Amino acid sequence: MSHHSDDNMLIPTSDSFWEPGNYKRTTKRIEDGYKLCNDLMTLIQERADIEKAYAKSLKGWSKKWNDLIEKGPEYGTTEAAWKGVLGEADRLCDLHVKVRDNLCNDVMQQVKSWQKDTYHKSMIQIKERKEMEDSFKKAQKPWSKLLAKVNKAKVDYHTACKTEKSASNQERNASADSSLSPDQVKKMQDRVQKSKEDVQKAKEKYEAALDEINSYNPKYMEDMTVVFDKCQDMEAQRLQFFKDIMLVFTSVSTFHRIQFFRRSMRSFTTQ
């Protein structure tokens, strides 16, 4: 919240959330959330492409060596051992194909569906961000008017003080100047008196404006907090979803690798 005193600058320079327009750092997270969904889907797709490429390489390697063994001089149980190595590669190839399919058909689709349900994007903006910003603007509008009133009253008060100081200096110099007539000196004294009265009036207006904004502060903070909490809830849901999807992402490959290891162990022990 802005704190105003005679010694402060006219326009608040604080980075506080409560200052006009600073809520945009909060609503920007909605836009960021949408973009992060795209980044997450790109990450998943790139990993799926790696799984696909590795499976393809394994398949090509297995076929190449199977052909060479078929045509080569090896025979009997040793030939079967060679082919057993290649069979393991074929099974591992199938594993990576499954990982790729699950990443694309399950994990990525979850992200895509969640993004579609959570964010509604138009040509130029995300609906949810605009709604939050409109709500912040509505909550901030009365307080911003009071703040503008405070700032104007402050300028008027400081201007009156400068005018009074200038008039006092001129009156003091005039009193010491014997070339000036008593009427001229009297006019300057009247000007000083008038400027003092203007200072007092400006001070009272400034103090009244401060009292008015201070009285409204609790209502302002309450209204802004309601909107802020909605933004916080949206971000909390996004963070939880991302954590959950990361667990799904890592478990996909881990599950299939464990299954592969178990099958390999059973195959080994039965031989």
Side-chain angles (χ1 to χ4, degrees), residues 161-173:
C161 288
K162 290 178 182 178
T163 301
E164 188 273 333
K165 183 177 181 181
S166 176
S168 294
N169 289 337
Q170 291 177 12
E171 188 270 336
R172 185 168 52 252
N173 293 334

Side-chain angles (χ1 to χ4, degrees), residues 5-268:
S5 69
D6 292 351
D7 298 328
N8 284 345
M9 297 295 291
L10 170 62
I11 299 176
T13 57
S14 170
D15 287 333
S16 167
F17 163 77
W18 308 104
E19 298 293 355
N22 281 359
Y23 58 78
K24 290 183 179 180
R25 291 176 300 185
T26 300
T27 58
K28 183 178 180 295
R29 291 187 304 183
I30 299 174
E31 189 88 28
D32 291 341
Y34 179 85
K35 293 177 180 177
L36 286 167
C37 285
N38 289 336
D39 289 342
L40 183 54
M41 284 188 283
T42 299
L43 178 146
I44 296 169
Q45 183 61 60
E46 288 180 357
R47 174 59 184 272
D49 291 343
I50 291 172
E51 297 289 342
K52 180 180 178 180
Y54 185 49
K56 183 178 179 180
S57 295
L58 280 174
K59 200 70 174 177
W61 175 82
S62 176
K63 184 178 185 307
K64 168 190 170 183
W65 280 99
N66 188 70
D67 292 343
L68 289 173
I69 292 168
E70 288 287 346
K71 298 174 183 177
E74 192 61 272
Y75 61 93
T77 56
T78 306
E79 178 185 3
W82 280 70
K83 291 186 176 182
V85 171
L86 302 181
E88 185 274 341
D90 288 335
R91 293 191 297 274
L92 189 57
C93 169
D94 293 338
L95 163 68
H96 286 281
V97 169
K98 289 180 180 179
V99 171
R100 181 265 175 193
D101 290 344
N102 283 349
L103 289 174
C104 290
N105 300 330
D106 182 17
V107 185
M108 185 180 293
Q109 286 302 317
Q110 288 187 52
V111 178
K112 187 178 293 186
S113 296
W114 188 85
Q115 182 191 45
K116 183 179 179 181
D117 293 340
T118 305
Y119 306 103
H120 300 85
K121 195 171 182 355
S122 66
M123 291 292 292
I124 58 175
Q125 61 189 348
I126 292 176
K127 177 184 175 184
E128 286 71 21
R129 180 176 184 177
K130 183 179 185 305
E131 288 176 347
M132 290 298 116
E133 290 195 344
D134 288 346
S135 296
F136 273 127
K137 288 177 184 177
K138 182 178 179 181
Q140 199 165 74
K141 186 176 180 180
W143 186 83
S144 294
K145 287 183 177 180
L146 294 176
L147 179 62
K149 187 176 180 180
V150 167
N151 287 336
K152 183 181 183 304
K154 184 177 182 179
V155 170
D156 292 344
Y157 174 54
H158 285 180
T159 300
C161 288
K162 290 178 182 178
T163 301
E164 188 273 333
K165 183 177 181 181
S166 176
S168 294
N169 289 337
Q170 291 177 12
E171 188 270 336
R172 185 168 52 252
N173 293 334
S175 296
D177 189 349
S178 59
S179 66
L180 295 177
S181 67
D183 286 344
Q184 290 175 312
V185 173
K186 180 65 167 59
K187 286 181 179 179
M188 290 188 180
Q189 290 174 343
D190 290 343
R191 183 185 173 195
V192 170
Q193 182 59 36
K194 175 67 166 57
S195 65
K196 288 182 181 295
E197 292 174 0
D198 290 342
V199 167
Q200 184 59 33
K201 290 178 182 178
K203 182 180 180 181
E204 290 173 358
K205 286 185 178 180
Y206 183 31
E207 290 176 343
L210 286 174
D211 289 342
E212 192 174 7
I213 197 171
N214 287 333
S215 297
Y216 189 77
N217 280 344
K219 167 66 173 170
Y220 170 59
M221 295 178 72
E222 179 183 356
D223 292 346
M224 290 288 283
T225 300
V226 169
V227 187
F228 179 78
D229 287 344
K230 291 179 180 179
C231 291
Q232 286 290 85
D233 289 343
M234 283 190 67
E235 180 64 3
Q237 291 173 18
R238 184 196 69 81
L239 291 173
Q240 187 58 54
F241 173 76
F242 270 50
K243 290 176 183 177
D244 292 343
I245 211 68
M246 295 296 183
L247 288 175
V248 174
F249 179 90
T250 54
S251 66
V252 165
S253 58
T254 301
F255 172 77
H256 286 296
R257 281 173 172 78
I258 291 174
Q259 293 296 100
F260 176 79
F261 175 76
R262 288 175 176 172
R263 287 196 298 268
S264 298
M265 289 300 295
R266 284 199 297 268
S267 176
F268 175 79

